[in-house]
Amino acid sequence: MTGKIRYAYYPGCSGQGTSVEYDTSTRAVCAALDIELVDIPDWNCCGSSPAHTVDHHLSAALSCRNLAQAAQVEGARGVITPCPSCLSNLKTSARRMADPDFAARVNKLLDKPLRHIPPVKSVLQALFEDVGPDALYPRVFKRLEGLKLAPYYGCIMNRPPQIMEFDDHEHPVAMDRLLEAVGATALPFPLKVECCGASYGVARQDIVERLSGRLLDAAAACGADAFVTACPLCQMNLDLRQDQINAANKTGHRIPVFYYTQLLGLALGLDPKALGLDKLAVSPRDVLAAVGVRA
Amino acid sequence: MKIGVFVCHCGSNIAGTVDVAKVAEAAKAMPDVAFASDTMYACSEPGQEGIIKAIQEKGLDGAVVASCTPRMHGPTFMRTVARAGLNPYMFEMANIREHVSWIGRNKEANTRKAIDLVKMAVAKLGQNRPLYPKTFAVNKRVLVIGGGVAGIQAALDCAEGGLDVVLVEKTSSIGGKMAKLDKTFPTVDCSSCILGPKMVDVAQHPRITLHASSEVEDVFGYVGNFQVEVRKKAPYVDWKACTGCGACMEKCPAKKSPDPFNELVGRTTAINIPFPQAIPKKASIDPTACIRFKTGKCGVCAKICPTKAIRYDQQDEMVTEEVGAIVAATGYDLMDWTVYGQYGAGRYPDVVTSLQYERMLSASGPTGGHIKRPSDGREPKNVVFIQCVGSRDPSVGRPYCTGFCCMYTAKQAVLTKDHIPDSQSYVFYMDIRAPGKMYDEFTRRAVEEYGTQYVRGRVSMVYPMGDKLVVRGADTLAGTQVEVLADLVVLAVGAEGAKGSPHLAEKLRISYDSYGFFMEGHPKLKPVETNTAGVYLAGCSQGPKDIPTSVAQGSAAAAKVLGLFSKDQLQSDPQVAKVDLKRCVGCMKCALTCPFGAIKELETRGEMKVEVIETVCQGCGICTSTCRQGAIQLQNFTDNQILAEVNALLLTAEEEGA
């Protein structure tokens, strides 16, 4: 890796609220690895869950406005975002703009038509491709030796493959490789691309209890100390609702659910405060203490 | 010159979007055209008779047929012209179907283009000269590549027909995939019991020469006169001395070599005979597993061998076989199913392929016919079969139906119940495709008599849970999701062309598709032939087939070879390159570019020139575009003929512009 890499950064709404620790740890890790994040000026909602269920054109217009704003960031390699849902909507909208009829209707909704579509990646993809496990290895301050992790990518980080164009959509390994580079053990977690129940937590809690419950059972069966996620919604369902799930399924799981950026940050020796470990509902203290990390 | 033009309607294929009457009318105004008409089907009997009648009554010197592609009916109309008493090369075809009516809907534009194409054909025909084929002798030996059931059948039928046969097999024994099968559907009879005697027939037939552990390295020549270079790979055993006693296998200390015959389920010794019924029953050493080859120590087999047959320093041997025809029967390989991440992609030991399961069922297999889980050796109770793994799945680049998986899955489900009576089999399927004789009845038996649970729907995921596997899928008939807790999962893996078949196809100068299957001459009417004369196809090398169809095609290929060899002399195509010795300066550029090695040096009156070996030349024309002197010309496609076509087209454009 030579010199700084600059990206236009799209934090997304969850990064400002429910998953603020994902946002702060992402910023800290990127800074430590010489990736400069410039927030997209005056960014708006990506058009995810609510908009795209109502109107694809409106949803794409919201995403495309963000892409147009991102073009103002000088010298950026493209747009990156930590949230798979934002990523999915940005990439899907960019793909749909290839259809001239679709583009015409979207451009009508925008003040100025979108001329140039910058490349869009997840932060995970940027860390994996621009830094990579090999470059990460020598920068590790504290190896997470002995920490057994269930890497959980969620259902939309790599799917549909023809839009996301990163890693194996049925058996992704990018996060596994990064975590192994910092000394942790990435278990062969079989349900790494399964659905957690997503936003059904609001409408049909029983669905989340069943689907996320299965994930917790499988992680426990693998002997995982903790989950590692890359998605705010997955993290919330597994972490915040773990007690609800336990109650519904009559189980007693106490599995901390990290963002992968938090663990990379710990390994890079970053300040635990910046990584927001105190925001996790299931305390990671004992799990981290067992591998000699104080948090 | 008096030329006749015949415009074909091809029913509505052409007449639907081309004004054929107008094309015929326009043709009447073209230079040298003495007769023009349109006809419903030019290729039909009345159509052909009409052409003959016109040629004879009007005293025509040549004919242009404006119809379909010459690939389809060029030879048909050449025969028609010949029947009318003309030289068959005094004929031209204008393709107004594939090149016009099938690709455009604008009738006016189509008609204009059809007229242009006819005008070009007429102009070219004006330059045509009669051509006469040469005859050459045929070497009545046949080479069969691949010793599976299709190759065995082709070899035996040819040999019974009185031909000398050379059978080349890549592995150390013939038998192919069928030899690996435990039972065959729909009769559930022992596979090796019906194949074994045929394999013995091959070994004992006085007219069959078998090269096992051998591969075709190169192919030269042409129909009737091929020279084939065969590499006989060193087995490090003198097969003349080896009696197949198997003493070396018993004593070999390297017992952990993966066993390709058992689909890597079992282990074998570094020196081995692949299976008890192997033909030839000779031992060979796997140098990647042999301790002697890896460390220089050991040598147990050489000490133990009663006939002193072991040769550690043996080298590959090249053999040249001269044959007149070749049958390619190279078979298939299973598609690489490890692209299926959702089925574990090779990570879970208790997810096996169909062929691995077949070896587990076989009494001569690695488990002695006992079904055991690879992970812990336990007998499974719940066995789940997943169909269409690598078939009918465009997402992995395999959109075609492999065709035999429905049947072998039903067979394996039946056999599972036979082996473990208290077991339960589940089959996840898309459709049941069982069109063969007694096939549908068989799949019904699997359901009705053997209690196999058929679930219509795809499996979304297989993952381990404790020591079991969770198979999650859809039941699209019940409209629900289902989960089965399985002890063993068997993937019905689809087939693709055998590995290396594209390389062989290039050596044989035949076509292959993107899945590695060889292309037949015509999908319906030439299923056994290829576009290269004298090369025929049999078995799964042409596409996935079950055993009866493979055998039938093996016999069909043999019939084609016997038909070819029923003539002592063959005629060569006269559409080959020809050298004008006055113009040739002997620069040899043509010889360098010829892909077939058809051009050789010729010394004439003390000067170096070149000459074309007419039987080797394929008429591709590369040499003619290379020659700066214009000294080498492709017969029937000379510079003058092509320029006449170009002029006809450009002059039309000029007239229209004016």
Side-chain angles (χ1 to χ4, degrees):
Chain A
M1 200 172 47
T2 52
K4 275 209 167 186
I5 302 166
R6 176 182 286 207
Y7 276 107
Y9 179 65
Y10 182 73
C13 56
S14 52
Q16 307 285 292
T18 54
S19 69
V20 65
E21 70 273 33
Y22 192 14
D23 182 57
T24 54
S25 58
T26 295
R27 291 175 192 272
V29 166
C30 285
L33 294 172
D34 289 337
I35 294 177
E36 188 187 354
L37 301 180
V38 181
D39 282 30
I40 295 177
D42 190 30
W43 58 271
N44 53 268
C45 169
C46 67
S48 178
S49 314
H52 83 96
T53 49
V54 179
D55 182 352
H56 286 169
H57 297 95
L58 173 63
S59 169
L62 288 164
S63 274
C64 289
R65 182 179 176 277
N66 286 322
L67 294 173
Q69 290 294 103
Q72 296 173 17
V73 179
E74 299 251 333
R77 274 197 191 183
V79 177
I80 60 173
T81 178
C83 172
S85 192
C86 300
L87 177 75
S88 170
N89 216 46
L90 287 167
K91 284 182 94 88
T92 308
S93 303
R95 165 68 75 101
R96 286 194 171 131
M97 290 297 278
D99 173 12
D101 293 341
F102 187 89
R105 289 185 63 177
V106 169
N107 281 329
K108 211 179 261 180
L109 292 169
L110 298 169
D111 286 345
K112 302 179 275 197
L114 180 67
R115 288 208 184 78
H116 168 69
I117 298 178
V120 182
K121 286 182 192 179
S122 62
V123 171
L124 178 63
Q125 184 176 2
L127 288 178
F128 187 75
E129 289 177 352
D130 297 334
V131 181
D134 294 343
L136 200 54
Y137 185 79
R139 304 173 79 121
V140 174
F141 169 81
K142 166 69 192 156
R143 286 179 62 74
L144 304 177
E145 214 71 62
L147 188 60
K148 294 197 296 263
L149 302 169
Y152 175 56
Y153 295 75
C155 50
I156 55 170
M157 185 59 125
N158 303 86
R159 297 195 284 204
Q162 60 271 26
I163 288 179
M164 306 315 268
E165 294 176 312
F166 174 57
D167 215 343
D168 186 321
H169 61 286
E170 295 291 349
H171 181 59
V173 292
M175 200 155 68
D176 298 44
R177 297 284 168 272
L178 293 176
L179 293 167
E180 281 165 356
V182 301
T185 305
L187 296 169
F189 181 57
L191 302 183
K192 48 169 69 168
V193 293
E194 284 295 285
C195 177
C196 65
S199 38
Y200 269 117
V202 180
R204 290 277 306 273
Q205 199 177 307
D206 59 313
I207 292 178
V208 171
E209 283 160 2
R210 187 158 51 83
L211 296 179
S212 285
R214 176 152 57 198
L215 293 169
L216 289 164
D217 293 345
C222 286
D225 298 327
F227 262 104
V228 193
T229 65
C231 171
L233 205 49
C234 301
Q235 199 276 344
M236 186 162 71
N237 278 339
L238 291 170
D239 182 38
L240 196 61
R241 292 187 187 276
Q242 201 167 112
D243 284 344
Q244 285 176 355
I245 295 164
N246 278 332
N249 299 344
K250 300 188 174 53
T251 49
H253 297 302
R254 292 288 296 163
I255 307 176
V257 187
F258 293 105
Y259 289 104
Y260 72 99
T261 44
Q262 291 179 309
L263 289 177
L264 293 185
L266 282 175
L268 292 169
L270 303 181
D271 178 9
K273 271 199 200 103
L275 304 175
L277 291 165
D278 56 335
K279 303 278 187 205
L280 301 183
V282 178
S283 168
R285 192 182 303 265
D286 295 346
V287 164
L288 290 176
V291 296
V293 178
R294 279 189 47 184
Chain B
M1 192 167 185
K2 289 167 82 176
I3 293 173
V5 176
F6 305 87
V7 185
C8 181
H9 294 224
C10 199
S12 62
N13 273 308
I14 295 170
T17 50
V18 174
D19 186 342
V20 281
K22 197 171 168 192
V23 176
E25 199 52 45
K28 284 181 184 155
M30 293 176 196
D32 296 337
V33 173
F35 176 82
S37 74
D38 55 292
T39 169
M40 191 64 169
Y41 292 105
C43 60
S44 68
E45 196 180 1
Q48 294 190 43
E49 289 305 324
I51 295 172
I52 292 172
K53 200 169 149 224
I55 290 173
Q56 288 170 342
E57 285 181 0
K58 313 279 176 192
L60 302 178
D61 302 310
V64 169
V65 177
S67 58
C68 53
T69 160
R71 262 176 182 266
M72 178 85 94
H73 279 315
T76 311
F77 293 123
M78 285 170 82
R79 280 196 300 274
T80 311
V81 171
R83 271 162 57 209
L86 297 179
N87 183 281
Y89 293 91
M90 298 307 287
F91 159 75
E92 283 301 324
M93 211 157 166
N95 185 350
I96 62 167
R97 194 176 74 179
E98 281 83 343
H99 287 180
V100 181
S101 70
W102 276 356
I103 56 168
R105 289 198 191 137
N106 181 336
K107 198 162 186 173
E108 207 187 304
N110 278 358
T111 307
R112 228 171 22 240
K113 184 174 174 187
I115 292 170
D116 280 349
L117 292 183
V118 170
K119 195 174 278 183
M120 289 166 71
V122 168
K124 186 184 170 206
L125 182 57
Q127 301 289 324
N128 278 21
R129 296 290 170 265
L131 298 176
Y132 301 95
K134 292 229 162 84
T135 55
F136 57 92
V138 184
N139 179 349
K140 294 188 180 178
R141 290 179 88 217
V142 56
L143 173 81
V144 178
I145 308 171
V149 68
I152 287 172
Q153 186 68 35
L156 287 174
D157 285 354
C158 286
E160 283 303 302
L163 304 178
D164 285 327
V165 180
V166 182
L167 180 58
V168 173
E169 165 57 39
K170 186 164 65 175
T171 63
S172 64
S173 168
I174 58 170
K177 292 283 189 298
M178 187 178 168
K180 297 188 179 192
L181 306 182
D182 177 41
K183 300 282 190 331
T184 62
F185 56 77
T187 44
V188 203
D189 52 347
C190 164
S191 182
S192 51
C193 307
I194 53 174
L195 182 66
K198 277 193 178 288
M199 291 164 61
V200 176
D201 287 349
V202 168
Q204 293 180 344
H205 205 289
R207 286 193 177 276
I208 298 179
T209 311
L210 172 61
H211 296 309
S213 281
S214 299
E215 280 188 73
V216 169
E217 190 98 342
D218 224 335
V219 180
F220 305 101
Y222 50 95
V223 57
N225 296 281
F226 291 109
Q227 288 96 43
V228 183
E229 300 284 329
V230 179
R231 176 182 291 274
K232 299 189 76 165
K233 288 174 284 183
Y236 307 105
V237 176
D238 179 356
W239 277 6
K240 287 198 187 75
C242 177
T243 59
C245 70
C248 52
M249 279 180 80
E250 280 170 32
K251 300 290 180 199
C252 176
K255 295 188 192 305
K256 289 264 172 79
S257 158
D259 186 352
F261 184 77
N262 282 323
E263 291 291 312
L264 313 181
V265 178
R267 301 278 159 184
T268 186
T269 45
I271 182 164
N272 68 73
I273 300 166
F275 57 107
Q277 302 96 327
I279 297 285
K281 198 173 181 187
K282 306 286 180 190
S284 48
I285 296 177
D286 174 3
T288 60
C290 174
I291 298 170
R292 172 82 181 202
F293 276 85
K294 288 198 289 193
T295 67
K297 298 187 182 95
C298 194
V300 170
C301 50
K303 276 188 214 115
I304 208 86
C305 178
T307 60
K308 302 285 166 233
I310 311 296
R311 302 277 182 278
Y312 295 119
D313 57 351
Q314 201 175 38
Q315 299 293 317
D316 289 3
E317 191 189 334
M318 296 300 294
V319 187
T320 304
E321 294 286 0
E322 300 201 333
V323 296
I326 298 172
V327 178
T330 49
Y332 70 96
D333 273 319
L334 292 188
M335 184 251 180
D336 176 19
W337 66 277
T338 60
V339 299
Y340 280 93
Q342 63 269 45
Y343 302 153
R347 285 174 286 131
Y348 309 140
D350 293 334
V351 179
V352 300
T353 69
S354 41
L355 215 47
Q356 286 175 332
Y357 195 60
E358 198 74 40
R359 292 312 300 151
M360 286 161 68
L361 291 167
S362 170
S364 64
T367 55
H370 299 289
I371 305 173
K372 290 177 179 173
R373 290 170 22 122
S375 61
D376 55 13
R378 273 192 12 233
E379 192 172 72
K381 289 287 175 270
N382 277 0
V383 182
V384 173
F385 296 88
I386 304 176
Q387 297 217 276
C388 299
V389 179
S391 295
R392 304 175 68 194
D393 189 351
S395 75
V396 296
R398 292 288 174 272
Y400 55 89
C401 173
T402 296
F404 47 59
C405 317
C406 284
M407 291 307 297
Y408 73 60
T409 300
K411 174 195 73 180
Q412 291 181 341
V414 165
L415 292 174
T416 305
K417 194 76 175 174
D418 279 343
H419 282 245
I420 311 169
D422 61 340
S423 68
Q424 176 63 52
S425 294
Y426 300 84
V427 179
F428 283 86
Y429 70 103
M430 289 166 76
D431 314 297
I432 297 298
R433 300 197 165 181
K437 194 171 179 177
M438 297 296 287
Y439 282 15
D440 198 60
E441 295 91 322
F442 181 77
T443 56
R444 281 175 183 281
R445 254 178 72 206
V447 177
E448 289 159 13
E449 288 178 33
Y450 288 83
T452 308
Q453 286 270 355
Y454 270 74
V455 184
R456 198 192 82 175
R458 265 187 108 77
V459 169
S460 64
M461 191 169 203
V462 177
Y463 66 94
M465 186 64 92
D467 65 344
K468 297 201 182 253
L469 292 157
V470 181
V471 180
R472 194 187 317 153
D475 183 336
T476 52
L477 293 178
T480 60
Q481 294 200 6
V482 286
E483 266 183 13
V484 182
L485 219 50
D487 299 302
L488 187 69
V489 174
V490 183
L491 305 180
V493 183
E496 61 188 17
K499 279 173 198 67
S501 50
H503 290 293
L504 182 65
E506 278 159 27
K507 286 168 194 161
L508 294 170
R509 299 193 291 273
I510 60 177
S511 317
Y512 57 95
D513 65 18
S514 50
Y515 316 115
F517 294 117
F518 298 148
M519 300 275 272
E520 61 284 344
H522 185 278
K524 291 173 188 67
L525 301 177
K526 287 185 175 179
V528 183
E529 295 95 323
T530 66
N531 282 333
T532 299
V535 181
Y536 303 94
L537 303 177
C540 290
S541 64
Q542 183 253 350
K545 284 181 189 65
D546 56 14
I547 293 166
T549 319
S550 295
V551 172
Q553 208 188 8
S555 289
K560 285 285 166 189
V561 174
L562 287 161
L564 176 77
F565 287 175
S566 66
K567 305 178 196 77
D568 295 321
Q569 297 273 314
L570 291 180
Q571 286 194 336
S572 68
D573 186 348
Q575 296 185 86
V576 294
K578 195 176 171 189
V579 183
D580 180 354
L581 288 179
K582 286 199 290 294
R583 285 193 170 188
C584 178
V585 295
C587 70
M588 301 303 289
K589 283 206 171 67
C590 52
L592 288 171
T593 52
C594 176
F596 306 102
I599 300 175
K600 64 175 183 187
E601 274 185 289
L602 169 79
E603 201 183 324
T604 168
R605 298 181 193 174
E607 281 184 281
M608 291 314 295
K609 306 269 179 183
V610 296
E611 142 179 82
V612 176
I613 311 165
E614 285 181 29
T615 42
V616 180
C617 177
Q618 301 286 315
C620 70
I622 293 175
C623 55
T624 60
S625 52
T626 313
C627 181
R628 292 185 175 196
Q629 309 296 320
I632 193 160
Q633 292 278 317
L634 187 59
Q635 296 305 293
N636 215 26
F637 295 93
T638 62
D639 289 352
N640 285 344
Q641 284 171 302
I642 290 163
L643 283 173
E645 284 184 292
V646 175
N647 283 339
L649 187 66
L650 294 183
L651 289 177
T652 310
E654 211 166 75
E655 279 164 22
E656 277 172 2

